[in-house]
């Protein structure tokens, strides 16, 4: 149960080194992930670097120019302005993630199980309804003469002097709810892992690195709202890469921007994996409440106390404040959904929904499934013993890399295969989800170190729900991605819903339905799944560092 008294860290029992046959199986299970990373991460990275050393593209013959493209990109002001603005866009969501997130988690944890679970349930809605293009389309309604409420701030996007500041505000508001929800999900387990202070600090570092990495690849909101304008005042790194490679058909400079972005993301990924491995970070699942024994006394002989009135009030007030702020920030999207789209501006038809969700689900099942096999091998069977998680360094440079930095090379591969403008091209070009690999490896590691059950019952079965949770999360990310479908689908019949929304806005054919990318059926199913996962599984996770293990259960 939640308690104002910190649990006493309990040293983890030494892990028993698995027999040689198990270690060999661990290596074998990691092979699909290694092959998937080689094909869809390493090779496109090499291709991107090679492309950055050549001029030309689709319209001109390619020729080797050495580092000229890097000189052009780094020597001009466009790249540095785009880099600075991109990083400035991450500042707001980053502060929400590392300040509001842990404070809300602490308040809800001290407020008891009801407050904590209420927070998880309410904020789950922000996760399943988040659509970058849909939210951006809703904010564009604020540029109309009768723009609703807070959305009228979007008027500032018209002026080059005010557009950058306005877009920063819009990004914070548009992402506030989903960032709070994800941060809460990350920080709550750290508070019940036996080393609340150190674990929270480590999680904060990882969350900060992830927030910067996601912001560095931001594309959909900026492209929908401003397309980098006016007068390039809101140009981002992803937008600059897109302009070079696909608007001006200059693959060399576009690949150079992609490579430079990849260096930044690779460094962040390596730091994240080193932090996780060096601090011996691990995730485990606490016993179910029905079978859990009463928590034992701490070193002072006292049992954890029930939350007091002050703790409950603090938790409820914190949740009410965050939810109220979230509703205000989401009001442009809420009012846009209620208003619907203009007549003849339907973008959420059955074909568009199939283009959106079929590739998204299939891509998630493959990429997370491959990652899960490797996690069972690396984290569960421990082929290198206590140092096994350091094997993740082989994947670390691509931990935070999405489709954007590899988009130029992946598009060229699709074109060479004759797959551009086909349904098959809509499938995400990644065969392994490295973020899922990291999370599942740390979980399998924590489960394996308990040493109280066999591998099947002690590692595979308890970790399987997390694989399902991550597959669902990757599905939502894939479905709302606008960049990759925008690159490979050129006929309206192959548009996904986010791309159709963008096309409708760019073609001046009337305002699209901003809720089309989050249809009610999908929202209902996803919300039920997320709430069930939060209450039945994620609320039992515990994160610890430095070899400690949790000393309490949750109610």
């Amino acid at each position: 149960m939640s308690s104002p008294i910190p649990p006493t860290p309990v040293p983890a029992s030494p892990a028993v080194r698995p027999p040689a046959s198990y270690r060999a199986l661990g290596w074998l299970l990691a092979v699909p992930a290694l092959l998937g990373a080689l094909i869809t991460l390493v090779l496109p990275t090499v291709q991107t670097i090679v492309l950055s050393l050549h001029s030309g593209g689709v319209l001109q013959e390619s020729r080797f120019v050495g580092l000229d493209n890097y000189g052009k990109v780094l020597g001009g002001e466009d790249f540095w302005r785009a880099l600075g603005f991109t990083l400035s866009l991450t500042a707001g969501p980053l502060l929400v993630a590392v300040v509001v997130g842990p404070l809300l988690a602490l308040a809800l944890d001290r407020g008891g199980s009801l407050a904590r679970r209420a927070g998880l349930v309410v904020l789950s809605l922000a996760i399943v309804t988040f659509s970058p293009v849909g939210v951006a389309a809703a904010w564009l309604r604020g540029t109309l003469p009768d723009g609703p409420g807070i959305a009228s701030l979007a008027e500032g996007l018209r002026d080059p002097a005010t557009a950058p500041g306005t877009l920063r505000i819009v990004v914070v508001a548009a992402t506030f709810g989903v960032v709070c929800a994800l941060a809460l999900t990350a920080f709550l387990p750290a508070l019940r892992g036996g080393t609340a202070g150190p674990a929270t600090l480590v999680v904060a570092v990882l969350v900060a690195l992830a927030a910067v990495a996601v912001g560095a690849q931001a594309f959909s909101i900026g492209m929908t709202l401003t397309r980098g304008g006016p007068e390039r005042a809101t140009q981002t790194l992803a937008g600059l890469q897109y302009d070079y490679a696909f608007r001006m058909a200059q693959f060399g400079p576009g690949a150079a921007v992609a490579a430079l972005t990849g260096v930044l993301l690779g460094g962040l990924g390596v730091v994240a994996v080193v932090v996780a491995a060096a601090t011996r970070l691990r995730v485990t699942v606490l016993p179910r409440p029905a079978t859990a024994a009463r928590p034992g006394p701490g070193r002072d002989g006292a049992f954890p106390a029930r939350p007091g009135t002050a703790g409950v009030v603090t938790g409820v007030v914190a949740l009410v404040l965050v939810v109220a702020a979230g509703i205000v920030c989401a009001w442009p999207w809420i009012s846009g959904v209620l208003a619907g789209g203009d007549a003849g501006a339907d973008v959420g038809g059955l074909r568009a929904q199939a283009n959106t969700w079929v590739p998204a689900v299939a891509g998630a099942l493959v990429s997370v499934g491959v990652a899960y096999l490797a996690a069972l091998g690396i984290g569960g069977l421990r082929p290198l013993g206590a140092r096994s998680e350091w094997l993740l360094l082989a994947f670390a440079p691509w931990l935070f890399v999405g489709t954007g930095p590899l988009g130029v090379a992946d598009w060229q591969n699709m074109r060479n295969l004759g797959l551009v403008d086909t349904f098959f091209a809509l499938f995400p070009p990644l065969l392994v989800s490295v973020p899922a690999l990291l999370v599942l490896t740390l979980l399998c590691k924590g489960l394996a170190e308990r040493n109280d059950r066999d591998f099947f019952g002690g590692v595979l079965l308890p970790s399987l729900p997390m694989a399902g949770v991550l597959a669902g999360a990757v599905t939502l990310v894939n479905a709302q991605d606008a960049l990759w479908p925008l690159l490979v689908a050129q006929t309206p019949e192959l548009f996904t819903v986010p791309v159709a929304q963008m096309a409708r806005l760019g073609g001046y054919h009337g305002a699209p339905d901003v809720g089309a990318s989050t249809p009610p059926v999908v929202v209902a199913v996803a919300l039920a799944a997320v709430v069930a996962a939060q209450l039945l599984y994620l609320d039992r996770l515990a994160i610890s560092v430095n070899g400690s293990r949790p000393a309490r259960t949750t109610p």
Side-chain angles (χ1 to χ4, degrees), residues 135 138-139 141 147-151 173-174 324-338 514:
V135 171
W139 275 89
R141 297 170 64 90
I150 189 177
I327 292 175
V328 171
C329 292
W331 189 251
W333 180 83
I334 296 173
S335 61
V337 170
L338 296 177
V514 302

Side-chain angles (χ1 to χ4, degrees), residues 57-120:
V58 179
L59 304 179
Q60 298 177 353
E61 183 179 355
S62 177
R63 62 185 181 86
F64 181 78
V65 295
L67 299 177
D68 287 358
N69 289 320
Y70 290 96
K72 175 182 178 180
V73 169
L74 296 175
E77 65 176 18
D78 288 347
F79 174 79
W80 298 107
R81 181 169 54 188
L83 175 61
F85 182 69
T86 299
L87 294 179
S88 74
L89 282 181
T90 69
L94 174 61
L95 288 176
V96 173
V98 300
V99 176
V100 178
L103 290 178
L104 177 62
L106 181 62
L108 293 181
D109 186 66
R110 295 300 181 254
S113 61
L114 290 180
R116 185 182 70 249
R117 291 174 178 174
L120 292 172

Side-chain angles (χ1 to χ4, degrees), residues 336-395:
V337 170
L338 296 177
D342 292 345
D346 180 31
V347 295
L350 183 60
R351 180 189 293 272
Q353 296 292 351
N355 293 341
T356 302
W357 293 100
V358 172
V361 172
L365 291 176
V366 171
S367 63
V368 176
V370 171
Y372 184 41
L373 290 177
L376 289 172
I378 297 173
L381 296 175
R382 318 290 288 157
L384 293 183
R387 300 183 300 276
S388 295
E389 57 268 27
W390 288 100
L391 290 172
L392 294 175
L393 278 176
F395 303 89

Side-chain angles (χ1 to χ4, degrees), residues 284-293 450 452 540 550 552-555:
T284 192
V285 182
L286 299 176
R288 292 183 180 275
T291 59
R450 295 193 309 190
D452 55 355
R540 295 166 49 215
R552 63 184 175 99
T553 61
T554 55

Side-chain angles (χ1 to χ4, degrees), residues 158-200:
R158 298 179 181 273
D159 187 345
T162 59
T166 301
L167 187 56
R168 295 185 188 102
I169 295 173
V170 170
V171 167
V172 173
T175 60
F176 180 83
V178 68
V179 170
C180 283
L182 295 176
L184 178 65
T185 303
F187 282 106
L188 274 176
L191 298 176
R192 51 177 174 258
T195 54
T200 300

Side-chain angles (χ1 to χ4, degrees), residues 70-493:
Y70 290 96
K72 175 182 178 180
V73 169
L74 296 175
E77 65 176 18
D78 288 347
F79 174 79
W80 298 107
R81 181 169 54 188
L83 175 61
F85 182 69
T86 299
L87 294 179
S88 74
L89 282 181
T90 69
L94 174 61
L95 288 176
V96 173
V98 300
V99 176
V100 178
L103 290 178
L104 177 62
L106 181 62
L108 293 181
D109 186 66
R110 295 300 181 254
S113 61
L114 290 180
R116 185 182 70 249
R117 291 174 178 174
L120 292 172
V121 170
V122 172
L123 292 178
S124 294
L125 188 61
I127 296 176
V128 301
T129 59
F130 181 67
S131 168
V133 175
V135 171
W139 275 89
L140 277 180
R141 297 170 64 90
T143 61
L144 302 176
D146 58 346
I150 189 177
S152 61
L153 288 173
E155 276 288 340
L157 297 173
R158 298 179 181 273
D159 187 345
T162 59
T166 301
L167 187 56
R168 295 185 188 102
I169 295 173
V170 170
V171 167
V172 173
T175 60
F176 180 83
V178 68
V179 170
C180 283
L182 295 176
L184 178 65
T185 303
F187 282 106
L188 274 176
L191 298 176
R192 51 177 174 258
T195 54
T200 300
L201 180 60
V202 171
V203 170
V205 171
L206 297 178
V207 167
L209 293 171
V212 173
V214 171
Q217 302 170 83
F219 176 80
S220 299
I221 293 180
M223 183 59 63
T224 303
L225 286 173
T226 66
R227 298 182 181 270
E231 300 178 10
R232 297 191 176 184
T234 59
Q235 184 73 277
T236 62
L237 286 176
L240 183 63
Q241 174 191 324
Y242 178 79
D243 283 351
Y244 272 132
F246 299 102
R247 282 184 173 172
M248 295 183 282
Q250 297 181 15
F251 274 16
V257 175
L260 293 170
T261 305
V263 170
L264 171 63
L265 298 175
L268 294 174
V270 171
V271 171
V273 170
V274 169
V275 168
T279 59
R280 300 170 64 190
L281 179 69
R282 68 179 205 147
V283 186
T284 192
V285 182
L286 299 176
R288 292 183 180 275
T291 59
R294 184 187 180 194
R299 292 181 179 178
D300 58 357
F303 283 87
R306 293 184 178 276
T309 302
V312 173
V313 171
T314 300
V316 171
V317 169
L319 179 58
V320 169
L321 290 176
V322 169
V323 171
I327 292 175
V328 171
C329 292
W331 189 251
W333 180 83
I334 296 173
S335 61
V337 170
L338 296 177
D342 292 345
D346 180 31
V347 295
L350 183 60
R351 180 189 293 272
Q353 296 292 351
N355 293 341
T356 302
W357 293 100
V358 172
V361 172
L365 291 176
V366 171
S367 63
V368 176
V370 171
Y372 184 41
L373 290 177
L376 289 172
I378 297 173
L381 296 175
R382 318 290 288 157
L384 293 183
R387 300 183 300 276
S388 295
E389 57 268 27
W390 288 100
L391 290 172
L392 294 175
L393 278 176
F395 303 89
W398 298 275
L399 174 63
F400 298 126
V401 174
T403 56
L406 304 177
V408 179
D410 285 333
W411 183 88
Q412 187 181 61
N413 291 335
M414 286 292 176
R415 179 174 176 267
N416 292 338
L417 292 172
L419 295 175
V420 171
D421 229 17
T422 66
F423 180 73
F424 182 81
L426 295 175
F427 287 75
L430 301 178
L431 292 179
V432 56
S433 171
V434 182
L437 173 60
L438 174 64
V439 173
L440 289 168
T441 297
L442 296 176
L443 175 61
C444 291
K445 169 192 174 183
L447 294 171
E449 289 179 350
R450 295 193 309 190
N451 291 319
D452 55 355
R453 302 178 69 178
D454 59 20
F455 177 78
F456 182 81
V459 177
L460 192 149
L461 289 182
S463 63
L464 191 58
M466 178 60 85
V469 169
L470 292 174
V474 174
T475 296
L476 294 177
V477 172
N478 290 344
Q480 302 304 337
D481 176 38
L483 177 57
W484 180 248
L486 183 65
L487 298 182
V488 298
Q490 298 163 1
T491 58
E493 290 77 14

